[in-house]
Amino acid sequence: MKCLISILVTTILFCSDFTNNGAVLTVQNGVTISMDGSFENNGSVNHSGYFTISGDLLNPGTFSSDVSSTVLLNGSDQSFPALELGNLTIEGDGTKTMQGNVAVSGSFIFNSGILNLNENTLTISGDAQNNGGAVIGIGSILLNGVELYGCMDEQAENYDPVFIFDSGECSYEFPGCTDQTAYNFVDT
């Protein structure tokens, strides 16, 4: 038997892991769901509110978010699947690991922690803010089709001022031999 759960109250707090075992869970605009643990969705979520998760976000089911909705990942080491979200905020310590491509139609706010792209793409259609987080791994962060993840060292050949997430993968041109004892040494 499937259940339909519509949450209309202002704030719901789950103090441990929560599993949706096949229900239709509707989170209305203005409602905050806070999970002090992981959330596994084996049913259907219709999300228009504010979801705070301190553990892993698992989604074998369907997770529909409208443009005004927000998911906040604020725990230590967390993973989250391929999703289409309204807004995404990442903060807290540890590493947040993408398990698939993620699309954000609104704002992506990165306050702290580490985002592991894990060979995936984060596509943002609204705006992006990096307020102190670090990005690791192979992958892409696209804002309206423009790559934001790359070399941020102004001295490097592949520097681009549009990058706001540093990949640490910079390349430098050396104009010749840098061995000071060689006859063809070039002082850079």
Side-chain angles (χ1 to χ4, degrees):
M1 176 172 131
K2 292 200 175 190
C3 235
L4 173 65
I5 301 171
S6 186
I7 299 175
L8 302 173
V9 295
T10 306
T11 301
I12 303 256
L13 174 64
F14 294 99
C15 295
S16 64
D17 295 343
F18 180 79
T19 301
N20 175 8
N21 279 324
V24 175
L25 178 63
T26 301
V27 181
Q28 299 288 335
N29 191 5
V31 174
T32 298
I33 303 286
S34 293
M35 308 235 173
D36 189 13
S38 295
F39 175 64
E40 181 175 353
N41 177 41
N42 295 309
S44 180
V45 173
N46 301 311
H47 175 43
S48 298
Y50 197 88
F51 237 103
T52 301
I53 303 168
S54 67
D56 292 332
L57 174 56
L58 308 166
N59 188 46
T62 59
F63 194 102
S64 302
S65 295
D66 75 19
V67 70
S68 66
S69 66
T70 298
V71 170
L72 167 64
L73 300 174
N74 67 347
S76 287
D77 295 331
Q78 295 177 269
S79 65
F80 58 105
L83 290 171
E84 293 182 12
L85 301 171
N87 301 289
L88 175 62
T89 301
I90 294 178
E91 60 188 33
D93 57 358
T95 302
K96 286 30 171 193
T97 302
M98 292 174 56
Q99 300 298 326
N101 296 325
V102 175
V104 177
S105 59
S107 296
F108 173 65
I109 301 172
F110 195 17
N111 290 326
S112 59
I114 299 168
L115 173 62
N116 183 351
L117 295 175
N118 196 27
E119 300 184 6
N120 294 293
T121 299
L122 173 60
T123 303
I124 307 158
S125 300
D127 60 67
Q129 299 174 26
N130 184 359
N131 300 322
V135 179
I136 62 172
I138 296 169
S140 291
I141 301 175
L142 303 175
L143 176 63
N144 299 316
V146 176
E147 180 67 60
L148 298 180
Y149 182 50
C151 176
M152 293 178 60
D153 182 349
E154 294 179 18
Q155 305 304 312
E157 288 182 319
N158 59 337
Y159 166 75
D160 190 327
V162 76
F163 297 145
I164 62 172
F165 301 100
D166 193 358
S167 69
E169 295 181 6
C170 299
S171 59
Y172 302 90
E173 180 180 324
F174 293 105
C177 179
T178 58
D179 182 352
Q180 292 182 347
T181 62
Y183 75 93
N184 60 344
F185 169 69
V186 177
D187 190 9
T188 58

